Amino acid sequence: MPGQRSITEAEKLAWDKLGGAPIQHDQMAMVANIYRAASAVRQHLENSVLRGCDLSWTGFVVLWVVWIWGESETRHVAEEAGISKGTLTGVVRTLEARGLVRRGGHPDDGRLVLLRLTESGTELMQDLFPRFNAEEAFVAGRLGDTECRRVAAGLRQVVLQVEEHGEERRRALLDGAEPAPRRSGRRPRAEG
Amino acid sequence: MPGQRSITEAEKLAWDKLGGAPIQHDQMAMVANIYRAASAVRQHLENSVLRGCDLSWTGFVVLWVVWIWGESETRHVAEEAGISKGTLTGVVRTLEARGLVRRGGHPDDGRLVLLRLTESGTELMQDLFPRFNAEEAFVAGRLGDTECRRVAAGLRQVVLQVEEHGEERRRALLDGAEPAPRRSGRRPRAEG
DNA sequence: AGTGTATCGTTCGGGATCAAACCACATGGG
DNA sequence: CCCATGTGGTTTGATCCCGAACGATACACT
């Protein structure tokens, strides 16, 4: 059972290493399980239905968003899919190479790019989505409908908390200090 | 609010596109929220406490595992951290370059590699973990202890379902067919 | 018409990610 | 002793991922 030598034992060990400082263990356990569940679900979906179509999780999500909402501006797709716009550029590149989506300019605003499914992309989603949904049902198989709703509601509270107060919180933690650049990422062009 | 133009509206649209085929929507909503919450939490943690130490989420998790469990074999660390052994090799490489962990051979079995924290890695975790835990508490701030436990328990059921029946399920879905190779990944060396 | 300033998607750099291929070491049987 | 089989960690190739830098376009104001 990966990652569960015992979460409780881990807490005891951490508590010892900190000289007895208090730990919010219910919160810690929830975060740990959110991440574990997300990994497990993604892995299962990728290795069952997605793999056969040569799609990654992210590729599927992007496809799904465009399928559901129809022709969309890339910024909206990135937002819905929960990835950065830079990542979306790359994902769309591979999706386009597979002939599943098409990129097109906006008639009125030259900055925008619109995404739409190709014929074959639409057919793929019609076949794929029901099978995807069946696996969602499988991973949730030990929980009843009501319990699913309850867990989903709890998770939504977490998402809302971060979305509504996360930035403010991060600012407060920095307390005036500069935001600490990432190690990776593009460097400013050398002055000449 | 990223990814929530409205999940319910999305379901209706999907239902239409499928010509009225039934959708397991509670399960679908739970999976969507698991992934959203995981992304939100990861993003918040990386951009608050982790960024200042130049650590990725995964880098932190690996460090945490070795900190808690002490000198460990890499296969166990990969399992606990929930990443593949190939990924671990890369993550440890960067962690080692930052002077936070050290790799060492096993005295009795020449195949094994042991990981341990350096002095500075240990100091980092002693400072970092309490601040990490404080942010875990922040993201869970809208939920009480009991609700956190309940959500964690539900998620554990999902993880267990995949771990105990996932492989069997994937085999059943393939139904004898070959497992469909990934598009990416190493190719067999050309026969000569 | 010109000049900010804002916003869009793309590029870029460092890194994470997986599965399969691969190589080194271990272990058991002939 | 040797060779088959198994089990470790590492390498490889394609992709994903982020955020900052960037170039192009849009829009408001002059």
Side-chain angles (χ1 to χ4, degrees), chain B residues 47 51 74-75 85 89 93 103 111-112 184-186:
Chain B
N47 286 331
R51 188 115 167 232
T74 61
R75 55 186 168 153
K85 52 187 191 163
T89 298
R93 201 198 315 284
R103 293 158 25 85
R111 294 168 301 178
L112 301 180
S184 70
R186 199 168 182 169

Side-chain angles (χ1 to χ4, degrees), chain B residues 4 42 44 49 51 63 65 73 77 83 102 107 113 122 128 144 148 154 159 165 168 170 180 182 188:
Chain B
Q4 300 258 17
R42 176 175 177 153
H44 176 72
V49 291
R51 188 115 167 232
L63 231 43
V65 169
E73 303 170 13
V77 176
I83 58 179
R102 237 185 336 165
V113 172
T122 307
L128 197 50
C148 281
V159 174
H165 301 297
E168 165 197 345
R170 290 191 289 276
R182 262 194 162 214

Side-chain angles (χ1 to χ4, degrees), chain A:
Chain A
M1 176 165 36
Q4 302 257 18
R5 251 190 271 198
S6 163
I7 196 89
T8 336
E9 193 185 343
E11 281 161 18
K12 201 154 44 189
L13 289 171
W15 191 77
D16 289 348
K17 294 194 183 291
L18 289 167
I23 298 174
Q24 304 275 347
H25 44 275
D26 292 332
Q27 288 75 7
M28 173 177 157
M30 184 177 73
V31 168
N33 280 298
I34 288 173
Y35 209 73
R36 261 184 231 307
S39 301
V41 169
R42 176 175 177 152
Q43 198 114 352
H44 176 71
L45 267 296
E46 284 188 337
N47 286 332
S48 53
V49 291
L50 261 28
R51 188 122 169 223
C53 319
D54 193 37
L55 276 180
S56 67
W57 173 277
T58 306
F60 173 80
V61 171
V62 168
L63 231 43
W64 186 83
V65 168
V66 181
W67 182 55
I68 293 298
W69 298 106
E71 189 170 48
S72 308
E73 304 169 12
T74 60
R75 56 186 166 149
H76 295 324
V77 176
E79 174 102 341
E80 290 283 322
I83 58 179
S84 74
K85 53 191 190 158
T87 299
L88 181 63
T89 297
V91 172
V92 168
R93 200 197 316 284
T94 63
L95 252 28
E96 204 176 12
R98 307 251 199 291
L100 301 171
V101 301
R102 236 185 337 164
R103 293 159 25 86
H106 191 285
D108 299 334
D109 190 332
R111 295 169 302 178
L112 302 180
V113 172
L114 296 173
L115 299 181
R116 68 188 317 174
L117 293 197
T118 61
E119 186 76 20
S120 107
T122 306
E123 283 170 22
L124 177 61
M125 283 308 285
Q126 276 164 4
D127 169 61
L128 196 51
F129 177 71
R131 293 193 285 131
F132 189 92
N133 186 238
E135 294 315 304
E136 291 180 314
F138 164 72
V139 302
R142 296 186 180 205
L143 271 31
D145 288 3
T146 309
E147 191 61 12
C148 282
R149 275 196 295 273
R150 185 187 276 276
V151 171
L155 294 171
R156 210 144 38 220
Q157 292 304 309
V158 172
V159 174
L160 281 177
Q161 171 77 351
V162 175
E163 280 175 0
E164 289 179 11
H165 301 298
E167 199 180 322
E168 164 196 346
R169 169 85 179 179
R170 290 191 288 274
R171 265 199 311 273
L173 284 173
L174 285 169
D175 194 32
E178 72 291 354
R182 262 192 162 217
R183 175 96 90 187
S184 69
R186 199 169 183 170
R187 297 283 170 280
R189 191 168 41 150
E191 296 281 333

